[in-house]
């Protein structure tokens, strides 16, 4: 994790880019800014809330409110790779719970956790629109369909 | 020798089952020219490679569930089946999805060659009220949950005076089991843009937004690229003024598929539902008149303008006109996208297009309309697929997602899953949904763990009544339906889970 001063400088640069991009009539949208911060840093550090609030022209409560509302916004640093398992109905019908158990066993973590080596974070999603080839697992942006529990080690280990 | 022209889908689901690996290998072959198209939606056959046929034969040949070892035969033209011999595809009536599997999603010239932008050209020649009249004749209803007449919304926005009006595509309809919105954005993005422009022309809108689920990165990317191409071609202007379209990403909140929550989110805030009225058509984004419709609704509009409202009205049933995009998933033999006129029974759809059950599975229940949809047992399958039949049955068509569950499904666990979903996704604005879904999940946890009594099952149905009648939006209001229909149709599974001394006492 970067140390705090450099992180803040990076953040300030990013915030000025994001806020500068919006035209005068289009005031910077808080959610868009938070997503941009997360894209760059992997998460939105809670100590950056005042800084973001100042830049965006919102209150700290506004920022904290939006940050805590959206499931995709993280306030902690995830592992290098984020694995998401789909828990939508088609995946449920096609036994995603068995795939989840295989992930739990292989990674040694449950949903919401990051492994000790900070390589993997496991998250759940309700639908990735991949229902016709369920069950689905995503590693970062790579989607895998018709996943069998036995495939989990070979899928995951490519990212180690 | 002329290289063989091969077609392979670039759709997310096709890629998830190996299309990219095949593409990489094909690109290394000098005797094959590869074109990446959208998917035909016959996902049970993906990855699927098509090949142009010369020597007098019409149509294309198809190789299904292709693996790397099939590639030499495909390049040489050995084997394969004629495309039109696949009943799943030949039995459909594709209008909104007519380009699927044929065009390259971002080839603007191909879109135009196949009739693209004709609807917009017609709309530009028509008076605003005539466009709305055409939609009225068409009988088009919003292809989302409420199935509200589209013309009526457009008319309200048209008649409301304002210096700014907006067209917003709800591309965050995240009902599990549905994927046609993703397919339209990835596979035929110009059709969506054309639908937006026709709407903008009709109501006098000044700006458009596509609010896309974060879970669909390829769709958002395709939309951004398509907007750029349309802009470069000089088509992104109305009445001599530029009409900007922004593609905005959501952040994983299901409620943002509700139109007012979506607008809150688009304005940068928590995606919390607004009380209605006022409706967005009158007071929407930044309190200006705004049409919010889902992807499929906008994508249906260009054909209506090209072919006329009467053509659209001639398809389907009395009060459900046109075609519906059904997305079949779960334990069926043939999961995939089907476009047919409204009216066919659920049973016929599952038999004819779903191909019956997946190998080794026996039918238990089907759910239509996502996580808030009712569950149907086998005895209820003769229901025709149209808005009113579903509404009369206390069910919803929603976005046309159909998920089939087999005998191994634990209905108590499934009910708990639905309530947990609502608890996770509730925006928290209204108490019945926020607290009700948590209490519902707790009660279903007790049933699931064999720790509940009959009194707790009664409490669960009482709670469901409260949520149904008092919630602010459909998330809380519909959440009880899958749970109650699971209890109604599979009572034994709930009764036997009650605490030992309660079980079997009636």
């Amino acid at each position: 994790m970067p140390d705090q001063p450099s992180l803040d400088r990076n953040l300030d640069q990013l915030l000025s880019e994001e806020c500068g991009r919006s035209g005068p009539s289009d005031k910077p949208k808080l959610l868009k800014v938070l997503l941009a911060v997360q894209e760059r840093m992997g998460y939105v550090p809670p100590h950056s809330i005042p800084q973001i609030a100042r830049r965006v022209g919102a209150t700290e409560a506004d920022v904290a409110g939006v940050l805590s509302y959206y499931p995709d916004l993280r306030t902690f640093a995830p592992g290098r790779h984020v694995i998401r398992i789909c828990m939508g109905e088609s995946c449920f019908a096609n036994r995603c719970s068995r795939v989840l158990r295989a992930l739990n066993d292989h990674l040694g973590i449950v949903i919401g956790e990051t492994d000790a080596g900070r390589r993997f974070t496991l998250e759940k999603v309700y639908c990735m629109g991949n229902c016709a080839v369920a069950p689905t697992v995503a590693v970062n942006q790579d989607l895998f369909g018709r996943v069998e529990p036995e495939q989990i080690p070979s899928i995951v280990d490519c990212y180690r | 020798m002329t290289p063989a022209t091969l077609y392979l889908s670039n759709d997310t689901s096709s890629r998830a089952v190996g299309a990219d690996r095949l593409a990489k290998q094909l690109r290394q072959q000098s005797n094959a020219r590869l074109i990446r198209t959208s998917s035909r939606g016959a996902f049970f056959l993906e990855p699927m490679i098509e090949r142009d046929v010369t020597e007098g034969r019409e149509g294309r040949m198809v190789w299904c569930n292709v693996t790397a070892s099939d590639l030499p035969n495909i390049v040489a033209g050995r084997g394969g089946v004629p495309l039109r011999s696949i009943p799943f595809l030949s039995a459909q009536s594709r209008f909104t999805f007519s380009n699927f599997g044929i065009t390259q999603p971002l080839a603007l010239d191909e879109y135009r060659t196949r009739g693209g932008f004709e609807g917009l050209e017609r709309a530009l020649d028509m008076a605003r009220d005539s466009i709305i009249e055409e939609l009225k004749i068409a009988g088009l209803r919003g292809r989302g949950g409420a199935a509200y007449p589209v013309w009526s919304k457009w008319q309200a926005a048209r008649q409301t005076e304002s210096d700014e009006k907006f067209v917003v595509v709800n591309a965050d309809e995240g009902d599990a089991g549905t994927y046609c919105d993703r397919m339209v954005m990835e596979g035929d993005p110009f059709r969506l843009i054309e639908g937006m422009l026709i709407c903008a022309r009709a109501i006098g809108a000044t700006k458009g937004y596509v609010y896309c689920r974060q879970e669909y990165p390829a769709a958002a990317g395709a939309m951004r690229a398509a907007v750029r191409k349309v802009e470069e071609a000089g088509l992104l202007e109305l009445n001599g003024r530029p009409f900007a379209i922004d593609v905005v990403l959501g952040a994983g909140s299901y409620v943002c598929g509700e139109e007012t929550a979506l607008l809150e989110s688009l304005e940068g805030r928590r995606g919390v539902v607004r009380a209605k009225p006022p409706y967005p058509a009158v007071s929407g984004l930044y309190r200006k008149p705004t049409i919010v419709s889902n992807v499929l609704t906008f994508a249906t509009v260009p054909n209506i303008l090209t072919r006329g409202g009467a053509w659209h009205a001639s398809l389907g049933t009395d009060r459900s006109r046109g075609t519906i995009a059904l997305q079949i998933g779960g334990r069926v033999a043939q999961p995939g996208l089907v476009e047919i006129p409204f009216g066919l029974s659920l049973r016929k759809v599952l038999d004819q297009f779903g191909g019956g059950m997946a190998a080794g599975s026996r039918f238990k229940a089907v759910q239509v309309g996502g996580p808030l949809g009712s569950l149907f047992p086998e005895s209820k399958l003769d229901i025709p697929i149209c808005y009113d039949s579903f509404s009369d049955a206390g069910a919803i068509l929603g976005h046309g997602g159909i998920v089939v569950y087999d005998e191994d499904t634990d209905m108590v666990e499934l009910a708990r899953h639905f309530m947990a979903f609502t608890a996770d996704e509730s925006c928290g604005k209204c108490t019945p949904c926020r607290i009700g879904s948590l209490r519902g999940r707790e009660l279903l946890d007790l049933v699931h763990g064999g720790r509940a009594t009959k009194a707790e099952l009664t409490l669960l149905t009482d709670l469901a009544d409260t949520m149904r009648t008092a919630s602010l939006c459909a998330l809380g209001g519909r959440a009880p339906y899958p749970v109650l229909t699971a209890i109604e149709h599979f009572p034994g599974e709930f009764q036997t889970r009650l605490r030992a001394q309660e079980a079997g006492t009636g």
Side-chain angles (χ1 to χ4, degrees):
Chain A
M1 198 163 96
D3 59 28
Q4 200 168 311
S6 80
L7 182 145
D8 286 351
R9 261 201 315 279
N10 285 342
L11 181 66
D12 211 53
Q13 161 111 29
L14 171 66
L15 289 173
S16 69
E17 280 169 25
E18 270 306 311
C19 298
R21 229 197 305 273
S22 308
S25 63
D26 198 15
K27 58 179 184 176
K29 311 289 190 313
L30 185 47
L31 175 59
K32 198 169 147 225
V33 170
L34 290 173
L35 283 170
V37 171
Q38 174 153 305
E39 179 156 350
R40 183 81 66 93
M41 299 184 168
Y43 73 117
V44 183
H47 70 258
S48 66
I49 290 175
Q51 203 177 343
I52 294 171
R54 266 197 313 278
R55 271 289 190 177
V56 176
T59 66
E60 290 181 29
D62 285 336
V63 180
V66 172
L67 186 54
S68 63
Y69 180 76
Y70 290 94
D72 289 342
L73 292 171
R74 294 185 204 97
T75 51
F76 59 90
R80 281 201 301 282
H81 306 288
V82 176
I83 300 182
R84 293 179 299 162
I85 178 160
C86 183
M87 307 291 270
E89 273 76 79
S90 188
C91 288
F92 186 98
N94 283 298
R95 330 256 186 269
C96 64
S97 53
R98 289 171 52 221
V99 179
L100 176 59
R101 266 198 303 279
L103 280 167
N104 294 150
D105 292 347
H106 191 67
L107 298 169
I109 51 175
V110 297
I111 285 170
E113 288 185 339
T114 300
D115 69 351
R118 306 206 65 77
R119 280 177 302 202
F120 297 108
T121 295
L122 184 59
E123 296 180 343
K124 75 172 171 190
V125 186
Y126 273 117
C127 186
M128 289 192 254
N130 202 37
C131 322
V133 293
T136 298
V137 168
V139 186
N140 308 323
Q141 298 278 326
D142 304 333
L143 221 57
F144 299 87
R146 298 181 193 138
V147 177
E148 296 290 338
E150 304 76 53
Q151 292 173 281
I152 288 300
S154 64
I155 290 175
V156 168
D157 292 348
C158 290
Y159 296 87
R160 279 193 192 274
Chain B
M1 204 176 92
T2 325
T5 304
L6 304 177
Y7 303 88
L8 171 64
S9 164
N10 198 26
D11 170 276
T12 289
S13 290
S14 310
R15 286 191 279 124
V17 290
D20 282 349
R21 278 196 302 279
L22 296 172
K24 206 168 156 193
Q25 283 169 296
L26 282 171
R27 289 222 169 84
Q28 287 162 356
Q29 309 221 2
S30 57
N31 52 350
R33 189 170 72 99
L34 180 65
I35 295 175
R36 299 299 294 269
T37 60
S38 45
S39 171
R40 291 190 188 265
F43 287 111
F44 60 103
L45 301 176
E46 294 283 6
M48 178 166 117
I49 294 182
E50 299 176 24
R51 187 182 199 276
D52 269 340
V53 173
T54 49
E55 295 159 15
R57 280 188 291 173
E58 280 179 30
R60 291 181 184 174
M61 294 296 280
V62 185
W63 286 258
C64 304
N65 301 121
V66 174
T67 61
S69 62
D70 299 324
L71 295 180
N73 280 338
I74 296 171
V75 173
R78 285 191 295 268
V81 295
L83 179 73
R84 55 169 182 265
S85 72
I86 300 172
F88 179 90
L89 294 170
S90 57
Q92 298 189 38
S93 312
R94 289 211 163 163
F95 298 107
T96 304
F97 296 91
S98 60
N99 285 342
F100 275 52
I102 297 168
T103 56
Q104 300 173 77
L106 291 170
L108 187 54
D109 52 337
E110 286 186 15
Y111 181 68
R112 302 191 87 156
T113 308
R114 291 182 53 82
F117 288 110
E118 278 176 24
L120 176 63
E121 277 160 29
R122 263 206 76 202
L124 292 175
D125 287 338
M126 290 162 78
R128 292 196 159 135
D129 290 329
S130 312
I131 302 173
I132 293 169
E133 184 59 28
E134 204 66 48
L135 285 182
K136 190 176 179 180
I137 294 167
L140 176 65
R141 294 168 72 174
R143 297 295 192 242
Y148 196 72
V150 174
W151 73 269
S152 174
K153 259 171 140 170
W154 287 25
Q155 190 174 54
R158 154 106 177 93
Q159 288 172 345
T160 306
E161 290 296 323
S162 176
D163 55 338
E164 273 185 307
K165 295 181 187 181
F166 301 105
V167 174
V168 175
V169 177
N170 180 353
D172 192 26
E173 295 236 354
D175 278 353
T178 65
Y179 43 87
C180 69
D181 282 357
R182 176 185 64 67
M183 289 182 69
V184 168
M185 289 188 284
E186 282 185 39
D188 204 5
F190 298 123
R191 186 178 300 268
L192 174 58
I193 293 172
E194 186 179 353
M196 290 176 78
L197 287 169
I198 294 169
C199 176
R201 156 77 191 154
I203 68 165
T206 42
K207 182 154 193 205
Y209 291 91
V210 178
Y211 183 95
C212 182
R213 308 184 65 208
Q214 171 281 141
E215 291 86 343
Y216 293 172
M223 284 312 304
R224 287 201 176 103
V227 167
R228 230 176 6 252
K229 289 210 164 185
V230 174
E231 196 171 14
E232 280 162 15
L235 292 166
L236 218 47
E237 63 171 59
L238 284 173
N239 311 319
R241 283 169 53 189
F243 182 81
I245 295 178
D246 256 6
V247 179
V248 178
L249 277 187
S253 166
Y254 175 81
V255 172
C256 289
E258 195 280 337
E259 58 179 356
T260 60
L262 184 151
L263 294 173
E264 286 289 307
S265 184
L266 203 47
E267 290 180 27
R269 289 192 288 273
R270 291 163 70 95
V272 173
V273 175
R274 292 178 188 167
K276 292 190 277 196
Y279 292 94
V282 174
S283 173
L285 189 64
Y286 306 114
R287 314 292 158 177
K288 310 274 180 154
T290 304
I291 292 298
V292 187
S293 284
N294 60 51
V295 172
L296 197 56
T297 308
F298 283 116
T300 307
V301 168
N303 266 330
I304 292 177
L305 268 290
T306 308
R307 296 166 181 257
W311 159 79
H312 186 265
S314 71
L315 300 164
T317 67
D318 237 15
R319 299 194 54 224
S320 301
R321 308 284 191 174
T323 58
I324 177 155
L326 297 169
Q327 300 122 86
I328 309 177
R331 299 295 296 162
V332 287
Q334 301 186 165
L337 169 83
V338 173
E339 184 183 1
I340 47 170
F342 284 95
L344 204 62
S345 76
L346 189 48
R347 188 188 302 277
K348 283 204 173 122
V349 166
L350 291 179
D351 288 348
Q352 190 180 345
F353 294 102
M357 294 300 290
S361 288
R362 285 181 58 192
F363 181 91
K364 186 167 199 176
V366 59
Q367 185 181 32
V368 184
L372 309 176
S374 303
L375 288 158
F376 290 112
E378 206 276 333
S379 61
K380 303 256 178 189
L381 287 184
D382 291 309
I383 183 170
I385 295 185
C386 60
Y387 296 121
D388 298 302
S389 303
F390 268 66
S391 166
D392 293 345
I396 45 168
L397 259 182
H399 221 58
I402 300 178
V403 177
V404 175
Y405 300 94
D406 69 10
E407 259 198 344
D408 290 346
T409 310
D410 175 342
M411 298 315 270
V412 177
E413 194 185 341
L414 186 62
R416 187 180 64 158
H417 169 83
F418 292 131
M419 208 41 108
F421 168 80
T422 306
D424 279 353
E425 296 293 348
S426 176
C427 82
K429 181 151 176 168
C430 72
T431 315
C433 177
R434 182 180 70 243
I435 308 290
S437 58
L438 280 177
R439 283 293 289 136
R441 185 174 67 185
E442 284 168 10
L443 291 167
L444 283 160
D445 273 342
L446 290 178
V447 180
H448 190 257
R451 287 172 287 130
T453 63
K454 217 156 47 174
E456 270 137 355
L457 213 52
T458 309
L459 180 60
L460 182 65
T461 51
D462 287 352
L463 181 79
D465 267 349
T466 308
M467 289 180 73
R468 201 154 45 93
T469 48
S471 295
L472 198 54
C473 84
L475 178 61
R478 286 279 336 169
Y481 283 82
V483 177
L484 292 177
T485 47
I487 296 174
E488 181 190 344
H489 300 305
F490 306 93
E493 292 190 37
F494 287 81
Q495 295 294 337
T496 54
R497 293 291 253 282
L498 296 182
R499 256 195 348 228
Q501 68 267 33
E502 298 273 337
T505 56

